[in-house]
C-alpha cells in the first residue's frame, strides 16, 4: 500500500505509514518486528524478553536479515527489572546498528538519551499521561507516545484519560512529534488521531493474531473470538506490581482479582500468577489461554481472523482512506 500520510513521525522513523507497533513482552521478537517494518510501520523488539545478551543479539541479527537491513527498533523498559542491565541491551543494539528506540517506564535518564543521540539515534518515550510527556520533552527525547486508559497492558497511572482526549489536549501543549495509542484497531481511528494533532498511532492489541506473531494457534484463535468486553483490569487500586494491568479476562486474571478482593496487597501474594513465564510458557507456547496475565485491550474486537501483519496494515490504511473519503463527502454536502 503506497504512502498516504506524511507526518513528523513518518519522517523521523522514515516509515511509509504512521503506525508504530509498541513493544510486546514475549511477542515482539525478530519475526514480528520484521513483519511490521516490511509492512511499512516501525516495530520494536522487547529487549526484556531476552534472558541473556547472546539471545538478544540473535534476535537483532535475525531481524536485520528478515528486513533486508531496513531500520527496525528496540523497546527498552526504564523501570522494570531486566535480566540484562538496560545499558547493556542499549549498547548491544547500537553495535548492531539499531537507531530507533521506544522507551517505556520511568522518565529516561539523561545518559540513556545522550547515548542514543550521540550514536545518531531516535528515541520515542511512551507515557500514560500528558504531564509525563511534557517531562520527557524537557529531557530531550525526539518524540513521545501517549497511551490512553484503554490500552492493552499497563496504562500506568492513567485510569481515566482516554487516548483521543489525551491526544487532543496534547496538541496545544507539546512541541515535539507525538503518537497516541490505546484502543486503536481501525483505520478510521488513525485518521482521527492525525486529525486531533498526533503524528502517528501506537498499536499493540490489534496485531496480536498476526500470522508472524510467535504464539500458539489456540491463543490467536482466542484473540479472534474475543470481543470488546473480554478484558479486565487488575491492580487498578493497589499496586504491588506498579499499577493497573489490562488483560484477557481468564482464570489467572479472575484469581488475581479474587486475591485483590481479599485485601492482599503484597507482591508475594500474586507472584505465582503474575510471573511472566506463565504467560510465555502456558499461553503463548502451549495455547492454554486461561493461564497467565495476557495483556490486551478492547481493540481486540477488531481482530476477525489470523492474517499476515502486512494484510492488517493494508486494511488499516484502506480504512483510513475510506474515512478520509467519508469526511470529504460530508464536507461537500
Ligand atoms: C501482549 C502485550 C504486551 C505488551 N508488552 C509491553 C512491553 O513489554 N513494553 C511496553 O512498553 N509496552 C508493552 N505493551 C503495550 C504496547 O506496546 C502498546 O503501548 C499498547 O498495546 C497500545 O494499546 P492497544 O493494546 O490498545 O493497542 C504490551 C501490550 C500488549 C497487548
Amino acid at each position: 500500500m503506497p504512502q498516504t500520510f506524511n507526518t513528523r513521525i513518518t519522517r523521523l522513523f522514515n516509515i511509509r505509514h504512521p503506525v508504530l507497533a509498541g513493544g510486546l513482552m514475549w511477542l515482539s521478537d525478530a519475526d514480528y518486528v520484521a513483519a511490521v517494518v516490511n509492512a511499512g510501520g516501525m516495530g520494536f523488539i522487547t529487549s526484556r524478553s531476552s534472558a541473556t545478551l547472546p539471545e538478544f543479539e540473535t534476535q537483532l541479527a535475525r531481524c536485520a536479515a528478515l528486513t533486508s537491513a531496513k531500520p527496525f527498533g528496540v523497546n527498552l523498559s526504564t523501570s522494570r527489572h531486566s535480566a540484562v542491565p538496560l545499558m547493556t541491551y542499549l549498547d548491544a543494539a547500537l553495535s548492531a546498528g539499531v537507531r530507533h528506540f521506544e522507551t517505556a517506564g520511568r522518565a529516561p535518564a539523561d545518559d540513556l538519551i545522550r547515548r542514543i543521540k550521540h550514536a545518531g539515534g531516535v528515541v520515542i518515550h511512551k507515557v500514560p499521561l500528558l504531564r509525563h510527556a511534557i517531562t520527557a520533552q524537557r529531557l530531550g527525547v525526539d518524540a513521545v507516545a501517549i497511551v490512553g486508559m484503554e490500552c492493552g497492558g499497563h496504562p500506568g497511572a492513567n485510569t481515566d484519560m482516554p487516548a483521543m482526549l489525551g491526544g487532543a489536549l496534547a496538541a496545544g501543549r507539546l512541541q515535539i512529534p507525538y503518537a497516541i495509542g490505546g484502543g486503536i484497531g481501525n483505520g478510521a481511528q488513525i485518521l482521527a488521531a492525525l486529525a486531533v494533532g498526533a503524528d502517528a498511532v501506537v498499536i499493540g492489541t490489534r496485531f496480536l493474531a498476526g500470522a508472524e506473531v510467535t504464539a500458539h494457534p489456540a491463543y490467536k484463535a482466542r484473540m479472534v473470538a474475543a470481543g470488546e468486553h473480554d478484558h479486565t483490569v487488575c491492580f487498578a487500586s493497589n499496586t504491588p506490581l506498579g499499577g493497573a494491568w489490562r488483560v484477557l479476562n481468564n482464570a489467572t486474571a479472575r484469581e488475581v482479582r479474587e486475591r485483590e478482593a481479599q485485601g492482599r496487597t503484597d507482591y508475594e501474594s500474586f507472584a505465582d500468577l503474575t510471573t511472566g513465564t506463565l504467560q510465555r510458557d502456558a499461553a503463548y507456547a502451549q495455547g492454554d489461554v486461561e493461564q497467565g496475565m495476557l495483556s490486551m485491550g478492547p481493540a481486540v474486537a477488531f481482530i476477525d481472523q489470523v492474517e499476515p501483519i502486512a494484510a492488517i496494515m493494508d486494511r488499516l490504511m484502506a480504512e483510513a482512506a475510506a474515512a478520509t473519503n467519508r469526511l470529504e463527502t460530508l464536507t461537500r454536502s
Side-chain angles (χ1 to χ4, degrees):
M1 172 87 52
Q3 177 159 10
T4 11
F5 301 109
N6 185 339
T7 74
R8 292 180 296 176
I9 285 187
T10 60
R11 293 192 293 276
L12 191 62
F13 287 110
N14 199 14
I15 48 180
R16 208 158 69 242
H17 304 310
V19 176
L20 310 176
L24 308 173
M25 187 62 180
W26 305 126
L27 300 178
S28 48
D29 58 7
D31 293 64
Y32 172 76
V33 169
V36 171
V37 164
N38 289 333
M42 179 50 59
F44 303 90
I45 294 178
T46 41
S47 51
R48 215 159 47 93
S49 303
S50 291
T52 64
L53 192 57
E55 224 177 275
F56 181 54
E57 287 167 337
T58 302
Q59 289 291 324
L60 298 175
R62 180 166 170 79
C63 198
L66 290 171
T67 54
S68 317
K70 277 204 249 345
F72 64 90
V74 161
N75 171 287
L76 298 168
S77 172
T78 53
S79 51
R80 290 179 182 275
H81 169 76
S82 297
V84 176
L86 179 67
M87 287 302 191
T88 308
Y89 280 134
L90 172 61
D91 287 342
L94 289 172
S95 306
V98 174
R99 292 295 178 271
H100 296 156
F101 295 91
E102 176 190 53
T103 52
R106 275 194 206 100
D110 284 352
D111 55 339
L112 182 104
I113 299 175
R114 212 174 312 119
R115 222 184 286 193
I116 293 174
K117 292 296 189 78
H118 184 72
V122 169
V123 56
I124 182 165
H125 184 57
K126 191 164 61 182
V127 295
L129 292 174
L130 182 50
R131 66 169 183 272
H132 301 151
I134 291 168
T135 303
Q137 170 175 267
R138 196 180 63 241
L139 292 173
V141 299
D142 298 283
V144 283
I146 308 172
V147 287
M149 59 184 285
E150 62 273 66
C151 71
H154 295 276
N158 183 356
T159 53
D160 57 7
M161 181 66 75
M164 277 302 157
L165 179 50
L169 289 171
R173 302 193 202 164
L174 287 173
Q175 285 75 52
I176 57 173
Y178 68 97
I180 61 177
I184 295 176
N186 179 288
Q189 293 168 292
I190 298 176
L191 189 67
L194 299 179
V196 298
D199 299 279
V201 295
V202 176
I203 290 181
T205 297
R206 177 67 181 91
F207 289 135
L208 290 177
E212 298 87 347
V213 172
T214 309
H216 195 279
Y219 167 77
K220 295 186 190 180
R222 184 69 188 95
M223 294 299 104
V224 172
E228 64 271 32
H229 302 298
D230 284 336
H231 61 98
T232 187
V233 178
C234 295
F235 305 119
S237 51
N238 63 58
T239 59
L241 289 168
W245 192 353
R246 190 179 303 281
V247 292
L248 176 69
N249 187 0
N250 65 3
T252 297
R254 286 190 291 277
E255 177 60 24
V256 165
R257 300 281 310 254
E258 174 63 32
R259 293 184 196 178
E260 284 189 85
Q262 291 163 4
R264 294 159 80 171
T265 55
D266 58 308
Y267 177 82
E268 286 67 33
S269 286
F270 300 93
D272 59 319
L273 300 173
T274 55
T275 170
T277 46
L278 192 58
Q279 307 149 29
R280 185 191 63 191
D281 300 339
Y284 300 145
Q286 289 160 28
D288 181 355
V289 293
E290 289 305 311
Q291 301 299 315
M293 294 285 277
L294 305 181
S295 294
M296 57 150 245
V300 76
F302 292 110
I303 302 178
D304 55 7
Q305 59 180 314
V306 176
E307 59 190 328
I309 298 285
I312 302 173
M313 190 75 90
D314 283 354
R315 282 176 70 180
L316 290 170
M317 299 320 296
E319 288 157 359
T324 308
N325 291 340
R326 173 176 150 74
L327 291 185
E328 278 167 6
T329 322
L330 294 176
T331 45
R332 267 203 307 271
S333 54

